[in-house]
């Protein structure tokens, strides 16, 4: 994979000067068009062997391009805040929005290679990490990100020569420490791990581009020319109106028996019983969250349901049991402009709780397979792939010891009508009912199909859906609290014996 | 994932009779259109829990559809021939061509689940198997196969009830043995492995469709209706002319220094030295292939090169050293009609050698990234993804202890002209030169770019390219033999300590 990069490349100064000027102008033009179009984001990954010019190239890029539309992030040791969240969190928060270029220096490829090179992971774990990366990158590409992956390479003799040269000059001597020589000693091991890594994470849409690093001018031109060509290709492309639909259909069951139709939505619970149980469960929830072991965990609770099913009321009964410093309620409405400029999961990643925290989502990422599917806000291909992407997302949370509890509050069509009418009558409730709600109601059947598919495709052993019979609000609130307490209690039990998986 | 399937579904006989007739007619129509269009192949995977009606459904399908255009393959213990080849070989050989439906019963999903359930593989190995499956299925979908994956499910109580019912009737008693009850005892374990498996191998293009298996009529209708809808959707779709190009560009190096330009194509070797070395190397090769340890290995040698670079002559010097029973030469020209109806790697899988055999490919799967790229026979997206697919393919060979040796025979443009002219002059060589060869010569530079990209993207530690300086034919033949002998010798050495990886 490094055949071309191992050759002795060279670009004379005069050639470089001439080309560089033209390249800079063209890159600035491209950057301007990118910002003007705001159709896609560009994410540049910079990786490779020590001393092959990664840092210099990033500096060059900053010099060449308009710094207002480019953001460079180097990932070293994670911060406290980052350590409290799943590994991918720090990459998500740094993603460039549409119209901008993001440069990641040492992103998700670094740790799997280093751990394997250090013998801290097995071959199968390495393969698993590669699978995770392929899925993440596929998702980014499917979301329209132009992902450009540059691997800076130099041969072992070239690396040695370079380190010696740096050491010789008083101006650069400080850059060569024991650390650099230790890396040099590990060169063969590092390359023997990187090579299969590059091979297995190169895809048609996001291949690694190997940049020979030994000659600074050749390196700069190779990188700059490729970046320009890649930007131009995408910028100048005519958007295709309709892509072929390659997803098989999902059908409603032949006998109309669904997980929703099988529910008995009217569950009895008297107000007196409700009060007793509420008090007990709120006390239990409070105690669970104050358990010392909870400091090493977190909770993500998702509330979805029919309009007027009582999500707000149920959420208040949960938060009523919690210390205000230990939870956050995240209300999901239509995405903001900033959120629309990002892959759709971005706006949920940003709200993930830290250690010992509870995040309550009033509506969630499931909008993708509910409202966006039913209203046609995204293509069939988009919501079909979302099931897998959501499962991957929740698996990342669970791996990080976050309890994922998902509630669907279900009411009957008749009960909804009753509540809608009541809302229209009561002055202080009128803000809760809009023409939108009535329109959604007309699409009741299509929503039911979407809900059942959602449950079947995303209720998993690690993050199950709880369907809550909610015609009786009191019963619904108790079932929510009860389920949530049990889920946290189970996780606390398991926590003792289970170590958090690294990287 | 089994929420809907666990419900008590039921379809009355009268409803079934009515629907079945219409369904059969529509399915036959779809099958007819599929055969008439011959645009794509349909591959149906049948999997799921014991007793959930997998076999019955396949029987039904055979009954419903035209048996001339459907092929059912059940995969149990591999045959001797199959065991001698990589695991995927038996699936490749059974793939349906365009216009036909193939039904796979117990395909590539079976062993990973069984091995994990039996505790024979670790979680990381399981994840690795899942990654392999996703890549295989992505490739099939990219090649246009309509991949439909049906998982037949029943709950544990439903399974028990069904086994009891079968036992009761004298007509079906024979179907329930200790084996079935042993499976029943493992139900929970099996489902706890299957569930994440389904989750992680469900993609937008190839999601698992769960078929509730307890009620035979509901099961048959659910399966039949889905199959019909999926077929119709694809059959009725208008082909899209031009897909957006989502692949970044590959550029030639700024300084024109390439792996080819760096070669000194004129290497000295006198005829006398050639004769001595040829004899020694042919003797060595013969001895290596007769080594008892070679019985557990195989060789795939690939010969590519410029037109008239001397591939044929080099191949004859290799085969001249081998027993006629131990090798096969596979000449790759334009694909046959049968081959064009399959994914492009199919015609190479079919020629893989058995144990102790040498397969010599005169041209190969690299046509995809050479002639098909340069001539525009496939789209950029197709040849860009081919690098990864080829690497995956070769990795499967190497994992199965097949030595993969790849030779690029390189001559200069001037040397080629000389040889072309000579061929035109000599009567018995005239068949070797065609207008096609002259046309290819006009595209010399574009071929060079393609060759260099091929080397950079597919020369891997496990299956490296050897670039052979071939202006002097004698030198080229010796370098080929020498490299091949070394590769086999190295593999024989490693063979002792290395066990073949299972499934």
């Amino acid at each position: 994979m490094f055949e071309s990069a191992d050759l002795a490349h060279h670009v004379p100064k005069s050639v470089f000067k001439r080309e560089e000027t033209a390249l800079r102008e063209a890159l600035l033009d491209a950057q301007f068009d990118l910002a003007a179009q705001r159709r896609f984001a560009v994410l540049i990954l910079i990786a490779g062997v020590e001393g092959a010019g990664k840092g210099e190239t990033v500096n060059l890029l900053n010099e060449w391009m308009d710094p207002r539309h480019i953001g460079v992030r180097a990932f070293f040791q994670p911060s406290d805040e980052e350590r409290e969240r799943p590994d991918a969190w720090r990459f998500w928060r740094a993603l460039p929005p549409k119209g901008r270029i993001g440069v990641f220096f040492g992103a998700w490829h670094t740790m799997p290679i280093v751990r394997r090179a250090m013998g801290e992971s097995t071959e199968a774990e390495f393969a698993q990490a590669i699978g995770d990366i392929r899925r993440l990158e596929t998702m980014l590409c499917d979301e329209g990100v132009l992902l450009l992956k540059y691997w800076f390479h130099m041969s072992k003799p070239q690396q040695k020569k370079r380190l010696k040269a740096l050491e010789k000059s008083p101006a650069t001597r400080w850059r060569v420490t024991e650390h650099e020589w230790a890396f040099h000693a590990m060169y063969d091991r590092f390359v023997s791990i990187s090579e299969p890594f590059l091979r297995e994470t190169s895809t048609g849409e996001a291949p690694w581009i190997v940049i020979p690093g030994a000659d600074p001018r050749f390196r700069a031109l190779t990188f700059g020319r490729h970046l320009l060509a890649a930007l131009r290709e995408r910028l100048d492309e005519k958007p295709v109106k309709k892509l072929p639909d390659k997803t098989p259909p999902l059908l409603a069951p032949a006998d109309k028996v669904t997980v929703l139709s099988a529910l008995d939505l009217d569950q009895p619970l008297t107000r007196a019983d409700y009060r007793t149980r509420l008090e007990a469960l709120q006390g239990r929830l409070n105690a669970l969250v104050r358990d010392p072991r909870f400091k090493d965990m977190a909770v993500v609770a998702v509330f979805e349901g029919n309009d007027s099913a009582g999500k707000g009321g149920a959420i208040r009964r949960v938060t009523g049991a919690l210390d205000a410093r230990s939870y956050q309620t995240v209300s999901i409405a239509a995405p903001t402009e900033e959120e629309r400029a990002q892959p759709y999961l971005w706006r949920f990643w940003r709200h993930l709780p830290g250690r010992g925290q509870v995040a309550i989502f009033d509506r969630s990422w499931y909008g993708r397979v509910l409202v966006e599917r039913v209203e046609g806000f995204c293509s069939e291909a988009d919501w079909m792939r979302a099931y897998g992407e959501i499962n991957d997302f929740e698996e990342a949370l669970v791996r990080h010891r976050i309890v994922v509890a998902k509630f669907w509050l279900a009411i009957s069509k008749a009960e909804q009508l009753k509540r809608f009418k009541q809302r229209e009558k009561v002055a202080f409730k009128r803000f809760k009912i809009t023409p939108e709600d009535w329109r959604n109601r007309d699409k009741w059947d299509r929503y039911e199909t979407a809900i059942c598919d959602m449950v079947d495709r995303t209720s998993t052993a690690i993050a199950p859906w709880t369907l809550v019979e909610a015609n009786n609000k009191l019963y619904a609130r108790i079932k929510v609290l009860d389920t949530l307490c049990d889920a946290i209690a189970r996780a606390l039990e398991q926590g003792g014996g289970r170590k958090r998986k690294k990287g």
Side-chain angles (χ1 to χ4, degrees), chain A:
Chain A
M1 312 222 72
F2 305 120
E3 283 70 14
S4 286
D6 279 339
L7 299 173
H9 287 285
H10 179 67
V11 168
K13 204 167 189 172
S14 58
V15 173
F16 180 76
K17 279 285 161 211
R18 199 177 50 229
E19 268 231 43
E20 193 196 17
T21 313
L23 194 54
R24 282 180 74 159
E25 276 174 32
L27 278 171
L28 274 172
D29 276 349
Q31 207 186 354
F32 180 84
D33 292 346
L34 178 72
Q37 288 189 4
R38 288 178 68 174
R39 269 198 304 135
F40 61 95
V42 180
L43 180 56
I44 299 175
L45 304 190
I46 302 283
V49 305
E50 201 64 25
K54 298 191 292 271
E56 288 88 335
T57 306
V58 171
N59 290 341
L60 200 65
L61 201 59
N62 266 328
E63 203 186 299
W64 280 353
M65 300 191 90
D66 182 343
R68 287 169 306 168
H69 300 297
I70 194 164
V72 178
R73 248 321 282 281
F75 298 95
F76 300 108
Q77 288 302 313
S79 70
D80 281 3
E81 253 191 86
E82 288 170 344
R83 247 192 303 270
E84 290 191 11
R85 289 165 178 88
D87 298 324
W89 189 71
R90 57 193 190 133
F91 305 122
W92 275 91
R93 68 197 296 219
L95 282 184
K98 285 175 188 166
R100 279 176 64 89
I101 299 175
V103 181
F104 282 10
F105 199 179
W108 43 81
H109 45 268
T110 309
M111 284 315 291
I113 292 175
V114 169
R115 294 193 59 219
R116 183 74 192 118
M118 299 293 183
E120 291 171 15
S121 63
T122 65
E123 205 177 310
E125 282 165 354
F126 186 55
Q128 189 174 7
I130 284 171
D132 290 347
I133 287 171
R134 284 179 70 113
R135 280 146 84 159
L136 172 66
E137 294 187 348
T138 299
M139 188 269 295
L140 290 174
C141 290
D142 282 343
E143 289 284 304
V145 174
L146 175 59
L147 180 60
L148 299 172
K149 309 190 298 193
Y150 296 102
W151 185 270
F152 289 76
H153 178 81
M154 56 186 1
S155 67
K156 198 173 181 181
Q158 284 169 343
Q159 191 185 50
K160 189 171 181 180
K161 204 172 133 193
R162 157 136 170 141
L163 289 176
K164 292 253 182 213
L166 286 174
E167 264 183 343
K168 240 184 198 162
S169 158
T172 53
R173 194 174 297 149
W174 57 273
R175 290 179 56 184
V176 184
T177 65
E178 269 176 34
H179 175 82
E180 274 69 34
W181 284 113
F183 255 102
H184 181 65
M186 282 198 49
Y187 182 94
D188 292 329
R189 172 103 186 122
F190 180 77
V191 169
S192 75
I193 304 295
S194 306
E195 199 259 17
F197 181 86
L198 292 197
R199 166 161 54 87
E200 303 207 15
T201 56
S202 272
T203 57
E205 280 177 18
W208 281 100
I209 307 293
V210 176
I211 307 283
D215 182 76
R217 289 192 293 263
F218 180 79
R219 177 178 74 214
L221 277 196
T222 305
F223 173 76
R225 288 170 64 176
H226 189 273
L227 176 60
L228 175 64
L231 287 172
R232 266 304 23 129
E233 192 176 84
R234 182 71 72 95
L235 286 166
D236 299 342
E237 187 182 80
K238 301 246 177 312
V240 174
K241 287 244 173 65
K242 196 165 162 0
L243 291 172
D245 171 25
K246 292 183 75 181
T247 59
L250 301 183
L251 303 182
D255 62 356
K256 317 274 184 218
V257 174
T258 70
V259 289
L260 292 174
S261 78
L263 293 177
D264 182 357
L265 298 176
D266 295 291
Q267 297 285 341
L269 187 69
T270 65
R271 189 155 285 272
D273 284 350
Y274 167 68
R275 289 212 177 109
T276 321
R277 295 207 57 193
L278 180 68
E279 200 185 316
L281 282 168
Q282 287 190 323
R284 186 181 174 213
L285 180 59
N286 189 269
L288 286 166
V289 171
R290 281 188 295 112
D291 188 298
R293 290 170 297 175
F294 190 77
K295 286 199 175 66
D296 191 33
M297 289 174 36
V299 171
V300 163
V302 172
F303 288 83
E304 296 278 358
N306 304 106
D307 287 329
S308 83
K311 290 189 295 293
I315 288 172
R316 279 193 301 280
R317 289 352 177 254
V318 172
T319 57
L322 300 173
D323 182 324
R325 283 159 300 188
S326 70
Y327 76 88
Q328 216 177 351
T329 306
V330 186
S331 285
I332 300 297
T336 64
E337 193 188 354
E338 196 187 352
E339 290 169 341
R340 281 197 306 273
Q342 292 282 1
Y344 82 97
L345 280 174
W346 184 82
R347 59 192 184 122
F348 310 106
W349 272 97
R350 68 194 302 202
H351 293 299
L352 288 187
R355 285 284 173 242
Q357 294 282 314
V358 178
I360 293 164
F361 285 85
D362 185 351
R363 302 201 186 273
S364 69
W365 42 96
Y366 285 99
R368 187 74 164 188
V369 296
L370 296 172
V371 57
E372 291 193 45
R373 168 182 175 177
V374 173
E375 303 290 344
F377 293 158
C378 66
S379 72
E380 187 172 333
D382 287 336
W383 59 259
M384 277 294 282
R385 68 179 159 83
Y387 296 117
E389 291 163 355
I390 286 172
N391 286 333
D392 286 348
F393 171 52
E394 294 178 358
E395 188 177 336
L397 305 190
V398 173
R399 272 198 219 169
H400 196 68
R401 303 211 56 228
I402 298 175
V403 176
V404 180
K406 306 183 294 197
F407 300 100
W408 178 265
L409 272 61
I411 55 173
S412 64
K413 211 171 168 182
E415 176 67 23
Q416 189 185 56
L417 185 66
K418 211 174 85 190
R419 293 189 188 180
F420 274 17
K421 291 199 163 159
Q422 209 169 19
R423 284 183 176 187
E424 287 188 324
K425 262 187 252 162
V426 183
F428 72 89
K429 281 188 173 172
R430 211 169 292 153
F431 77 94
K432 287 173 116 183
I433 181 99
T434 65
E436 178 75 22
D437 292 318
W438 288 103
R439 275 198 299 273
N440 287 345
R441 192 175 151 77
D442 289 341
K443 294 166 192 154
W444 185 273
D445 290 347
R446 283 159 64 196
Y447 271 102
E448 285 229 331
T449 305
I451 297 157
C452 294
D453 285 336
M454 171 187 81
V455 171
D456 278 335
R457 297 195 170 271
T458 62
S459 196
T460 58
I462 56 172
W465 274 103
T466 302
L467 302 182
V468 182
E469 304 85 344
N471 275 2
N472 178 349
K473 284 182 183 183
L474 308 181
Y475 173 86
R477 292 169 191 168
I478 295 301
K479 182 163 178 179
V480 164
L481 274 168
D482 201 25
T483 309
L484 186 59
C485 286
D486 283 350
I488 299 174
R490 242 189 337 268
L492 286 175
E493 292 305 314
Q494 288 168 357
R498 219 170 62 177
K499 276 268 187 163
R500 201 205 131 202
K501 235 184 100 180
K502 266 202 284 179

